[in-house]
Amino acid sequence: MGPGPSNPYPGAVTAAGSPMLGHLDPAFLDVLDATCEELRQVFRTENSLTLPLSGTGSAGMEASLANLVRPGDPVVVGVNGLFGERLCEVAGRLGAEVVRVEAPWGQPLDPDAVLRAHPAPRIICVVHAETSTGVENDVAAVAAGKGEALLVVDAVTSLGGVPVEVDRWGADVCYSCSQKCLGAPPGLAPITVSPRARAALRERPPTWYLDLNLIAGYVEAGGGRAYHHTAPVLMVQVLHGALQALLAEGLEASWARHEAAGRALQDGLEALGLELFAAKGHRLSSLVTVKVPADLPGGLDEEGVRRRLLEEHGVEIGAGAGKLAGQIWRIGCMGHNARQRSVETVLAALGEVLGR
């Protein structure tokens, strides 16, 4: 029940025992094509270039920016947590003119402030679900006013569990990860690229491994499959198993299940006398943040509570990240774990450790 990885769907576990196939085996290419189509459904997009990148969610972030940013580009980044900070870091390393638009950690970004930050940004970056704070940012409002800017969206902690509407929003690039609401192990970064963003991709980006034009030559069906690098075959099969489970349930049903479980977790934490961290009205259902109480029992510190939860109850929760280290706990409610029984388990264990 930490901020990821989450427990995988049973279908993902079963797929982990699949026979090993070559990355150019027609049987595997069928699985890859099916996985890309499943990702289009989950991203809610028709984008042809939609695929599971080799690497974790951070690879999705790096690929998104490395393939678009040119030195000197004005890039507006919303920063209200660690992953907004990381977007600034990556864009800055690529030579962008980074324009930070900040909000206090735990508060949502002001979409108008993001849109006013620069008269003609080439790229705007927004974290939809800020994993470090448990805040959901209003991507739709930023997308509605972005004009000619390319919009890059981090959906690492939202895709599959919180509504993500790539085409309806008009997001140009959106990336996520396999190990959170999608219910698979870590190792893949689902990404989707609009035709408009695809036309703007750098011909020779400062990364070979994450060059989306080169990778497209292997991933996209309809022609010869140009070898780029050896795809993580088993991980794609496992993600395919997880996506089959998610889509069999139904995307809207999954969103509703995550919302119900997240709300039950938030209500239960408050019933224990704990204070939630993220601003009311902008709290994620998939990742709940709660302040560490000042009156911990028996000389326990923040880390000691988490250790006892893990060792005595088999329950993992996450520590605060960045400047929130030691101040909050992050409790994931994602994928197969977004269920009432998981919520009841973590609340009972936390209540016992805290003596509440």
PDB file of all heavy atoms in Angstrom, residues 243-279:
ATOM      1  N   LEU A 243      -3.556  -5.376 -18.415  1.00  0.00           N
ATOM      2  CA  LEU A 243      -4.497  -4.538 -19.170  1.00  0.00           C
ATOM      3  C   LEU A 243      -5.751  -5.319 -19.542  1.00  0.00           C
ATOM      4  O   LEU A 243      -6.852  -4.756 -19.574  1.00  0.00           O
ATOM      5  CB  LEU A 243      -3.815  -3.993 -20.418  1.00  0.00           C
ATOM      6  CG  LEU A 243      -2.701  -2.971 -20.171  1.00  0.00           C
ATOM      7  CD1 LEU A 243      -1.974  -2.642 -21.471  1.00  0.00           C
ATOM      8  CD2 LEU A 243      -3.250  -1.701 -19.528  1.00  0.00           C
ATOM      9  N   GLN A 244      -5.597  -6.612 -19.812  1.00  0.00           N
ATOM     10  CA  GLN A 244      -6.780  -7.435 -20.072  1.00  0.00           C
ATOM     11  C   GLN A 244      -7.707  -7.441 -18.856  1.00  0.00           C
ATOM     12  O   GLN A 244      -8.936  -7.323 -18.988  1.00  0.00           O
ATOM     13  CB  GLN A 244      -6.356  -8.862 -20.428  1.00  0.00           C
ATOM     14  CG  GLN A 244      -5.789  -9.021 -21.821  1.00  0.00           C
ATOM     15  CD  GLN A 244      -5.411 -10.460 -22.116  1.00  0.00           C
ATOM     16  OE1 GLN A 244      -4.670 -11.101 -21.357  1.00  0.00           O
ATOM     17  NE2 GLN A 244      -5.908 -10.992 -23.212  1.00  0.00           N
ATOM     18  N   ALA A 245      -7.121  -7.559 -17.660  1.00  0.00           N
ATOM     19  CA  ALA A 245      -7.934  -7.540 -16.440  1.00  0.00           C
ATOM     20  C   ALA A 245      -8.614  -6.189 -16.254  1.00  0.00           C
ATOM     21  O   ALA A 245      -9.810  -6.115 -15.918  1.00  0.00           O
ATOM     22  CB  ALA A 245      -7.054  -7.869 -15.235  1.00  0.00           C
ATOM     23  N   LEU A 246      -7.865  -5.123 -16.487  1.00  0.00           N
ATOM     24  CA  LEU A 246      -8.413  -3.774 -16.321  1.00  0.00           C
ATOM     25  C   LEU A 246      -9.559  -3.523 -17.289  1.00  0.00           C
ATOM     26  O   LEU A 246     -10.626  -3.027 -16.907  1.00  0.00           O
ATOM     27  CB  LEU A 246      -7.295  -2.755 -16.530  1.00  0.00           C
ATOM     28  CG  LEU A 246      -7.682  -1.274 -16.568  1.00  0.00           C
ATOM     29  CD1 LEU A 246      -8.371  -0.848 -15.284  1.00  0.00           C
ATOM     30  CD2 LEU A 246      -6.448  -0.413 -16.820  1.00  0.00           C
ATOM     31  N   LEU A 247      -9.369  -3.880 -18.552  1.00  0.00           N
ATOM     32  CA  LEU A 247     -10.390  -3.597 -19.556  1.00  0.00           C
ATOM     33  C   LEU A 247     -11.577  -4.549 -19.452  1.00  0.00           C
ATOM     34  O   LEU A 247     -12.694  -4.194 -19.837  1.00  0.00           O
ATOM     35  CB  LEU A 247      -9.772  -3.634 -20.948  1.00  0.00           C
ATOM     36  CG  LEU A 247      -8.765  -2.504 -21.208  1.00  0.00           C
ATOM     37  CD1 LEU A 247      -8.046  -2.706 -22.536  1.00  0.00           C
ATOM     38  CD2 LEU A 247      -9.457  -1.142 -21.170  1.00  0.00           C
ATOM     39  N   ALA A 248     -11.353  -5.761 -18.933  1.00  0.00           N
ATOM     40  CA  ALA A 248     -12.479  -6.662 -18.692  1.00  0.00           C
ATOM     41  C   ALA A 248     -13.394  -6.094 -17.608  1.00  0.00           C
ATOM     42  O   ALA A 248     -14.627  -6.216 -17.680  1.00  0.00           O
ATOM     43  CB  ALA A 248     -11.969  -8.049 -18.296  1.00  0.00           C
ATOM     44  N   GLU A 249     -12.788  -5.477 -16.601  1.00  0.00           N
ATOM     45  CA  GLU A 249     -13.589  -4.804 -15.577  1.00  0.00           C
ATOM     46  C   GLU A 249     -14.309  -3.604 -16.162  1.00  0.00           C
ATOM     47  O   GLU A 249     -15.455  -3.315 -15.819  1.00  0.00           O
ATOM     48  CB  GLU A 249     -12.687  -4.355 -14.430  1.00  0.00           C
ATOM     49  CG  GLU A 249     -13.417  -3.572 -13.340  1.00  0.00           C
ATOM     50  CD  GLU A 249     -12.487  -3.053 -12.253  1.00  0.00           C
ATOM     51  OE1 GLU A 249     -11.252  -3.101 -12.419  1.00  0.00           O
ATOM     52  OE2 GLU A 249     -13.016  -2.589 -11.213  1.00  0.00           O
ATOM     53  N   GLY A 250     -13.640  -2.888 -17.047  1.00  0.00           N
ATOM     54  CA  GLY A 250     -14.180  -1.654 -17.619  1.00  0.00           C
ATOM     55  C   GLY A 250     -13.470  -0.467 -17.004  1.00  0.00           C
ATOM     56  O   GLY A 250     -13.308  -0.388 -15.778  1.00  0.00           O
ATOM     57  N   LEU A 251     -13.031   0.458 -17.853  1.00  0.00           N
ATOM     58  CA  LEU A 251     -12.244   1.580 -17.367  1.00  0.00           C
ATOM     59  C   LEU A 251     -13.041   2.443 -16.395  1.00  0.00           C
ATOM     60  O   LEU A 251     -12.546   2.837 -15.326  1.00  0.00           O
ATOM     61  CB  LEU A 251     -11.771   2.417 -18.566  1.00  0.00           C
ATOM     62  CG  LEU A 251     -10.575   3.336 -18.352  1.00  0.00           C
ATOM     63  CD1 LEU A 251      -9.400   2.618 -17.709  1.00  0.00           C
ATOM     64  CD2 LEU A 251     -10.154   3.960 -19.683  1.00  0.00           C
ATOM     65  N   GLU A 252     -14.293   2.737 -16.746  1.00  0.00           N
ATOM     66  CA  GLU A 252     -15.116   3.562 -15.843  1.00  0.00           C
ATOM     67  C   GLU A 252     -15.343   2.850 -14.514  1.00  0.00           C
ATOM     68  O   GLU A 252     -15.361   3.491 -13.453  1.00  0.00           O
ATOM     69  CB  GLU A 252     -16.454   3.917 -16.501  1.00  0.00           C
ATOM     70  CG  GLU A 252     -16.341   4.886 -17.662  1.00  0.00           C
ATOM     71  CD  GLU A 252     -16.018   4.187 -18.984  1.00  0.00           C
ATOM     72  OE1 GLU A 252     -15.773   2.951 -18.973  1.00  0.00           O
ATOM     73  OE2 GLU A 252     -16.003   4.879 -20.016  1.00  0.00           O
ATOM     74  N   ALA A 253     -15.514   1.528 -14.565  1.00  0.00           N
ATOM     75  CA  ALA A 253     -15.694   0.767 -13.322  1.00  0.00           C
ATOM     76  C   ALA A 253     -14.428   0.814 -12.470  1.00  0.00           C
ATOM     77  O   ALA A 253     -14.498   0.907 -11.236  1.00  0.00           O
ATOM     78  CB  ALA A 253     -16.062  -0.682 -13.641  1.00  0.00           C
ATOM     79  N   SER A 254     -13.275   0.757 -13.118  1.00  0.00           N
ATOM     80  CA  SER A 254     -12.016   0.862 -12.376  1.00  0.00           C
ATOM     81  C   SER A 254     -11.884   2.236 -11.740  1.00  0.00           C
ATOM     82  O   SER A 254     -11.470   2.354 -10.578  1.00  0.00           O
ATOM     83  CB  SER A 254     -10.831   0.592 -13.308  1.00  0.00           C
ATOM     84  OG  SER A 254      -9.607   0.790 -12.628  1.00  0.00           O
ATOM     85  N   TRP A 255     -12.212   3.279 -12.487  1.00  0.00           N
ATOM     86  CA  TRP A 255     -12.163   4.634 -11.917  1.00  0.00           C
ATOM     87  C   TRP A 255     -13.065   4.713 -10.681  1.00  0.00           C
ATOM     88  O   TRP A 255     -12.674   5.283  -9.659  1.00  0.00           O
ATOM     89  CB  TRP A 255     -12.625   5.655 -12.949  1.00  0.00           C
ATOM     90  CG  TRP A 255     -11.738   5.819 -14.140  1.00  0.00           C
ATOM     91  CD1 TRP A 255     -10.443   5.415 -14.285  1.00  0.00           C
ATOM     92  CD2 TRP A 255     -12.091   6.438 -15.382  1.00  0.00           C
ATOM     93  NE1 TRP A 255      -9.969   5.736 -15.533  1.00  0.00           N
ATOM     94  CE2 TRP A 255     -10.944   6.365 -16.223  1.00  0.00           C
ATOM     95  CE3 TRP A 255     -13.248   7.037 -15.872  1.00  0.00           C
ATOM     96  CZ2 TRP A 255     -10.948   6.891 -17.526  1.00  0.00           C
ATOM     97  CZ3 TRP A 255     -13.253   7.557 -17.164  1.00  0.00           C
ATOM     98  CH2 TRP A 255     -12.108   7.472 -17.977  1.00  0.00           C
ATOM     99  N   ALA A 256     -14.274   4.152 -10.793  1.00  0.00           N
ATOM    100  CA  ALA A 256     -15.219   4.212  -9.669  1.00  0.00           C
ATOM    101  C   ALA A 256     -14.713   3.414  -8.478  1.00  0.00           C
ATOM    102  O   ALA A 256     -14.861   3.834  -7.321  1.00  0.00           O
ATOM    103  CB  ALA A 256     -16.589   3.698 -10.115  1.00  0.00           C
ATOM    104  N   ARG A 257     -14.100   2.251  -8.740  1.00  0.00           N
ATOM    105  CA  ARG A 257     -13.552   1.433  -7.655  1.00  0.00           C
ATOM    106  C   ARG A 257     -12.423   2.177  -6.949  1.00  0.00           C
ATOM    107  O   ARG A 257     -12.328   2.170  -5.703  1.00  0.00           O
ATOM    108  CB  ARG A 257     -13.070   0.088  -8.213  1.00  0.00           C
ATOM    109  CG  ARG A 257     -12.355  -0.789  -7.204  1.00  0.00           C
ATOM    110  CD  ARG A 257     -12.145  -2.207  -7.725  1.00  0.00           C
ATOM    111  NE  ARG A 257     -11.410  -2.267  -8.975  1.00  0.00           N
ATOM    112  CZ  ARG A 257     -10.092  -2.198  -9.085  1.00  0.00           C
ATOM    113  NH1 ARG A 257      -9.336  -2.048  -7.997  1.00  0.00           N
ATOM    114  NH2 ARG A 257      -9.509  -2.297 -10.276  1.00  0.00           N
ATOM    115  N   HIS A 258     -11.536   2.789  -7.708  1.00  0.00           N
ATOM    116  CA  HIS A 258     -10.452   3.565  -7.103  1.00  0.00           C
ATOM    117  C   HIS A 258     -11.004   4.734  -6.278  1.00  0.00           C
ATOM    118  O   HIS A 258     -10.513   5.012  -5.177  1.00  0.00           O
ATOM    119  CB  HIS A 258      -9.510   4.092  -8.179  1.00  0.00           C
ATOM    120  CG  HIS A 258      -8.512   3.092  -8.673  1.00  0.00           C
ATOM    121  ND1 HIS A 258      -8.836   2.065  -9.539  1.00  0.00           N
ATOM    122  CD2 HIS A 258      -7.175   2.956  -8.422  1.00  0.00           C
ATOM    123  CE1 HIS A 258      -7.757   1.345  -9.799  1.00  0.00           C
ATOM    124  NE2 HIS A 258      -6.738   1.862  -9.135  1.00  0.00           N
ATOM    125  N   GLU A 259     -12.008   5.405  -6.817  1.00  0.00           N
ATOM    126  CA  GLU A 259     -12.595   6.539  -6.098  1.00  0.00           C
ATOM    127  C   GLU A 259     -13.215   6.083  -4.781  1.00  0.00           C
ATOM    128  O   GLU A 259     -13.022   6.715  -3.733  1.00  0.00           O
ATOM    129  CB  GLU A 259     -13.645   7.217  -6.974  1.00  0.00           C
ATOM    130  CG  GLU A 259     -14.465   8.299  -6.294  1.00  0.00           C
ATOM    131  CD  GLU A 259     -13.650   9.497  -5.842  1.00  0.00           C
ATOM    132  OE1 GLU A 259     -12.584   9.758  -6.445  1.00  0.00           O
ATOM    133  OE2 GLU A 259     -14.069  10.176  -4.876  1.00  0.00           O
ATOM    134  N   ALA A 260     -13.963   4.977  -4.807  1.00  0.00           N
ATOM    135  CA  ALA A 260     -14.609   4.483  -3.591  1.00  0.00           C
ATOM    136  C   ALA A 260     -13.572   4.040  -2.559  1.00  0.00           C
ATOM    137  O   ALA A 260     -13.700   4.349  -1.363  1.00  0.00           O
ATOM    138  CB  ALA A 260     -15.554   3.328  -3.936  1.00  0.00           C
ATOM    139  N   ALA A 261     -12.548   3.337  -3.005  1.00  0.00           N
ATOM    140  CA  ALA A 261     -11.526   2.863  -2.071  1.00  0.00           C
ATOM    141  C   ALA A 261     -10.727   4.032  -1.507  1.00  0.00           C
ATOM    142  O   ALA A 261     -10.432   4.083  -0.299  1.00  0.00           O
ATOM    143  CB  ALA A 261     -10.603   1.866  -2.766  1.00  0.00           C
ATOM    144  N   GLY A 262     -10.370   4.983  -2.358  1.00  0.00           N
ATOM    145  CA  GLY A 262      -9.614   6.137  -1.890  1.00  0.00           C
ATOM    146  C   GLY A 262     -10.395   6.968  -0.889  1.00  0.00           C
ATOM    147  O   GLY A 262      -9.843   7.442   0.117  1.00  0.00           O
ATOM    148  N   ARG A 263     -11.690   7.147  -1.165  1.00  0.00           N
ATOM    149  CA  ARG A 263     -12.517   7.925  -0.227  1.00  0.00           C
ATOM    150  C   ARG A 263     -12.659   7.188   1.100  1.00  0.00           C
ATOM    151  O   ARG A 263     -12.611   7.804   2.174  1.00  0.00           O
ATOM    152  CB  ARG A 263     -13.885   8.193  -0.849  1.00  0.00           C
ATOM    153  CG  ARG A 263     -14.744   9.143  -0.019  1.00  0.00           C
ATOM    154  CD  ARG A 263     -15.906   9.670  -0.828  1.00  0.00           C
ATOM    155  NE  ARG A 263     -15.461  10.414  -1.993  1.00  0.00           N
ATOM    156  CZ  ARG A 263     -15.052  11.683  -1.962  1.00  0.00           C
ATOM    157  NH1 ARG A 263     -15.015  12.325  -0.800  1.00  0.00           N
ATOM    158  NH2 ARG A 263     -14.681  12.295  -3.055  1.00  0.00           N
ATOM    159  N   ALA A 264     -12.820   5.861   1.042  1.00  0.00           N
ATOM    160  CA  ALA A 264     -12.924   5.092   2.284  1.00  0.00           C
ATOM    161  C   ALA A 264     -11.626   5.186   3.086  1.00  0.00           C
ATOM    162  O   ALA A 264     -11.656   5.284   4.324  1.00  0.00           O
ATOM    163  CB  ALA A 264     -13.237   3.631   1.960  1.00  0.00           C
ATOM    164  N   LEU A 265     -10.499   5.187   2.404  1.00  0.00           N
ATOM    165  CA  LEU A 265      -9.217   5.319   3.088  1.00  0.00           C
ATOM    166  C   LEU A 265      -9.091   6.700   3.733  1.00  0.00           C
ATOM    167  O   LEU A 265      -8.674   6.823   4.892  1.00  0.00           O
ATOM    168  CB  LEU A 265      -8.077   5.075   2.112  1.00  0.00           C
ATOM    169  CG  LEU A 265      -6.654   5.227   2.655  1.00  0.00           C
ATOM    170  CD1 LEU A 265      -6.413   4.311   3.845  1.00  0.00           C
ATOM    171  CD2 LEU A 265      -5.633   4.948   1.554  1.00  0.00           C
ATOM    172  N   GLN A 266      -9.446   7.736   2.997  1.00  0.00           N
ATOM    173  CA  GLN A 266      -9.380   9.093   3.549  1.00  0.00           C
ATOM    174  C   GLN A 266     -10.290   9.227   4.773  1.00  0.00           C
ATOM    175  O   GLN A 266      -9.871   9.752   5.815  1.00  0.00           O
ATOM    176  CB  GLN A 266      -9.785  10.106   2.475  1.00  0.00           C
ATOM    177  CG  GLN A 266      -8.800  10.212   1.325  1.00  0.00           C
ATOM    178  CD  GLN A 266      -9.350  10.998   0.152  1.00  0.00           C
ATOM    179  OE1 GLN A 266     -10.355  11.708   0.268  1.00  0.00           O
ATOM    180  NE2 GLN A 266      -8.702  10.876  -1.001  1.00  0.00           N
ATOM    181  N   ASP A 267     -11.517   8.721   4.655  1.00  0.00           N
ATOM    182  CA  ASP A 267     -12.459   8.805   5.783  1.00  0.00           C
ATOM    183  C   ASP A 267     -11.942   8.010   6.977  1.00  0.00           C
ATOM    184  O   ASP A 267     -12.049   8.448   8.130  1.00  0.00           O
ATOM    185  CB  ASP A 267     -13.834   8.275   5.360  1.00  0.00           C
ATOM    186  CG  ASP A 267     -14.530   9.190   4.356  1.00  0.00           C
ATOM    187  OD1 ASP A 267     -14.096  10.349   4.183  1.00  0.00           O
ATOM    188  OD2 ASP A 267     -15.515   8.731   3.735  1.00  0.00           O
ATOM    189  N   GLY A 268     -11.369   6.838   6.711  1.00  0.00           N
ATOM    190  CA  GLY A 268     -10.868   6.010   7.796  1.00  0.00           C
ATOM    191  C   GLY A 268      -9.682   6.633   8.511  1.00  0.00           C
ATOM    192  O   GLY A 268      -9.554   6.533   9.746  1.00  0.00           O
ATOM    193  N   LEU A 269      -8.807   7.277   7.769  1.00  0.00           N
ATOM    194  CA  LEU A 269      -7.669   7.953   8.394  1.00  0.00           C
ATOM    195  C   LEU A 269      -8.142   9.095   9.288  1.00  0.00           C
ATOM    196  O   LEU A 269      -7.628   9.288  10.398  1.00  0.00           O
ATOM    197  CB  LEU A 269      -6.719   8.478   7.309  1.00  0.00           C
ATOM    198  CG  LEU A 269      -5.942   7.404   6.535  1.00  0.00           C
ATOM    199  CD1 LEU A 269      -5.292   8.000   5.288  1.00  0.00           C
ATOM    200  CD2 LEU A 269      -4.887   6.738   7.416  1.00  0.00           C
ATOM    201  N   GLU A 270      -9.118   9.850   8.807  1.00  0.00           N
ATOM    202  CA  GLU A 270      -9.648  10.940   9.634  1.00  0.00           C
ATOM    203  C   GLU A 270     -10.360  10.385  10.868  1.00  0.00           C
ATOM    204  O   GLU A 270     -10.298  10.993  11.950  1.00  0.00           O
ATOM    205  CB  GLU A 270     -10.573  11.813   8.804  1.00  0.00           C
ATOM    206  CG  GLU A 270      -9.823  12.648   7.759  1.00  0.00           C
ATOM    207  CD  GLU A 270     -10.695  13.639   7.046  1.00  0.00           C
ATOM    208  OE1 GLU A 270     -11.834  13.267   6.658  1.00  0.00           O
ATOM    209  OE2 GLU A 270     -10.278  14.807   6.872  1.00  0.00           O
ATOM    210  N   ALA A 271     -11.012   9.231  10.726  1.00  0.00           N
ATOM    211  CA  ALA A 271     -11.670   8.611  11.881  1.00  0.00           C
ATOM    212  C   ALA A 271     -10.647   8.171  12.929  1.00  0.00           C
ATOM    213  O   ALA A 271     -10.978   8.086  14.129  1.00  0.00           O
ATOM    214  CB  ALA A 271     -12.512   7.421  11.429  1.00  0.00           C
ATOM    215  N   LEU A 272      -9.406   7.916  12.501  1.00  0.00           N
ATOM    216  CA  LEU A 272      -8.333   7.597  13.447  1.00  0.00           C
ATOM    217  C   LEU A 272      -7.753   8.850  14.096  1.00  0.00           C
ATOM    218  O   LEU A 272      -6.824   8.764  14.909  1.00  0.00           O
ATOM    219  CB  LEU A 272      -7.207   6.837  12.731  1.00  0.00           C
ATOM    220  CG  LEU A 272      -7.495   5.396  12.315  1.00  0.00           C
ATOM    221  CD1 LEU A 272      -6.328   4.839  11.510  1.00  0.00           C
ATOM    222  CD2 LEU A 272      -7.763   4.517  13.533  1.00  0.00           C
ATOM    223  N   GLY A 273      -8.271  10.010  13.734  1.00  0.00           N
ATOM    224  CA  GLY A 273      -7.775  11.257  14.300  1.00  0.00           C
ATOM    225  C   GLY A 273      -6.585  11.829  13.564  1.00  0.00           C
ATOM    226  O   GLY A 273      -5.905  12.723  14.082  1.00  0.00           O
ATOM    227  N   LEU A 274      -6.315  11.332  12.358  1.00  0.00           N
ATOM    228  CA  LEU A 274      -5.182  11.802  11.573  1.00  0.00           C
ATOM    229  C   LEU A 274      -5.625  12.904  10.621  1.00  0.00           C
ATOM    230  O   LEU A 274      -6.798  12.988  10.231  1.00  0.00           O
ATOM    231  CB  LEU A 274      -4.556  10.638  10.791  1.00  0.00           C
ATOM    232  CG  LEU A 274      -4.033   9.490  11.667  1.00  0.00           C
ATOM    233  CD1 LEU A 274      -3.585   8.326  10.804  1.00  0.00           C
ATOM    234  CD2 LEU A 274      -2.893   9.967  12.559  1.00  0.00           C
ATOM    235  N   GLU A 275      -4.674  13.742  10.211  1.00  0.00           N
ATOM    236  CA  GLU A 275      -4.973  14.883   9.339  1.00  0.00           C
ATOM    237  C   GLU A 275      -4.438  14.616   7.939  1.00  0.00           C
ATOM    238  O   GLU A 275      -3.249  14.329   7.754  1.00  0.00           O
ATOM    239  CB  GLU A 275      -4.334  16.157   9.908  1.00  0.00           C
ATOM    240  CG  GLU A 275      -4.651  17.405   9.108  1.00  0.00           C
ATOM    241  CD  GLU A 275      -3.993  18.656   9.681  1.00  0.00           C
ATOM    242  OE1 GLU A 275      -3.371  18.563  10.759  1.00  0.00           O
ATOM    243  OE2 GLU A 275      -4.106  19.722   9.033  1.00  0.00           O
ATOM    244  N   LEU A 276      -5.323  14.708   6.947  1.00  0.00           N
ATOM    245  CA  LEU A 276      -4.910  14.520   5.565  1.00  0.00           C
ATOM    246  C   LEU A 276      -4.083  15.716   5.109  1.00  0.00           C
ATOM    247  O   LEU A 276      -4.251  16.835   5.588  1.00  0.00           O
ATOM    248  CB  LEU A 276      -6.132  14.342   4.664  1.00  0.00           C
ATOM    249  CG  LEU A 276      -7.030  13.138   5.006  1.00  0.00           C
ATOM    250  CD1 LEU A 276      -8.237  13.089   4.081  1.00  0.00           C
ATOM    251  CD2 LEU A 276      -6.252  11.833   4.937  1.00  0.00           C
ATOM    252  N   PHE A 277      -3.177  15.470   4.179  1.00  0.00           N
ATOM    253  CA  PHE A 277      -2.239  16.512   3.754  1.00  0.00           C
ATOM    254  C   PHE A 277      -2.717  17.280   2.529  1.00  0.00           C
ATOM    255  O   PHE A 277      -2.657  18.506   2.499  1.00  0.00           O
ATOM    256  CB  PHE A 277      -0.865  15.889   3.468  1.00  0.00           C
ATOM    257  CG  PHE A 277       0.141  16.879   2.949  1.00  0.00           C
ATOM    258  CD1 PHE A 277       0.695  17.823   3.801  1.00  0.00           C
ATOM    259  CD2 PHE A 277       0.517  16.887   1.618  1.00  0.00           C
ATOM    260  CE1 PHE A 277       1.616  18.759   3.327  1.00  0.00           C
ATOM    261  CE2 PHE A 277       1.436  17.810   1.133  1.00  0.00           C
ATOM    262  CZ  PHE A 277       1.977  18.747   1.997  1.00  0.00           C
ATOM    263  N   ALA A 278      -3.142  16.594   1.498  1.00  0.00           N
ATOM    264  CA  ALA A 278      -3.505  17.259   0.241  1.00  0.00           C
ATOM    265  C   ALA A 278      -4.753  18.121   0.432  1.00  0.00           C
ATOM    266  O   ALA A 278      -5.628  17.824   1.255  1.00  0.00           O
ATOM    267  CB  ALA A 278      -3.744  16.229  -0.851  1.00  0.00           C
ATOM    268  N   ALA A 279      -4.820  19.190  -0.349  1.00  0.00           N
ATOM    269  CA  ALA A 279      -5.934  20.139  -0.249  1.00  0.00           C
ATOM    270  C   ALA A 279      -7.265  19.449  -0.554  1.00  0.00           C
ATOM    271  O   ALA A 279      -7.386  18.703  -1.521  1.00  0.00           O
ATOM    272  CB  ALA A 279      -5.716  21.304  -1.201  1.00  0.00           C
TER     273      ALA A 279
END
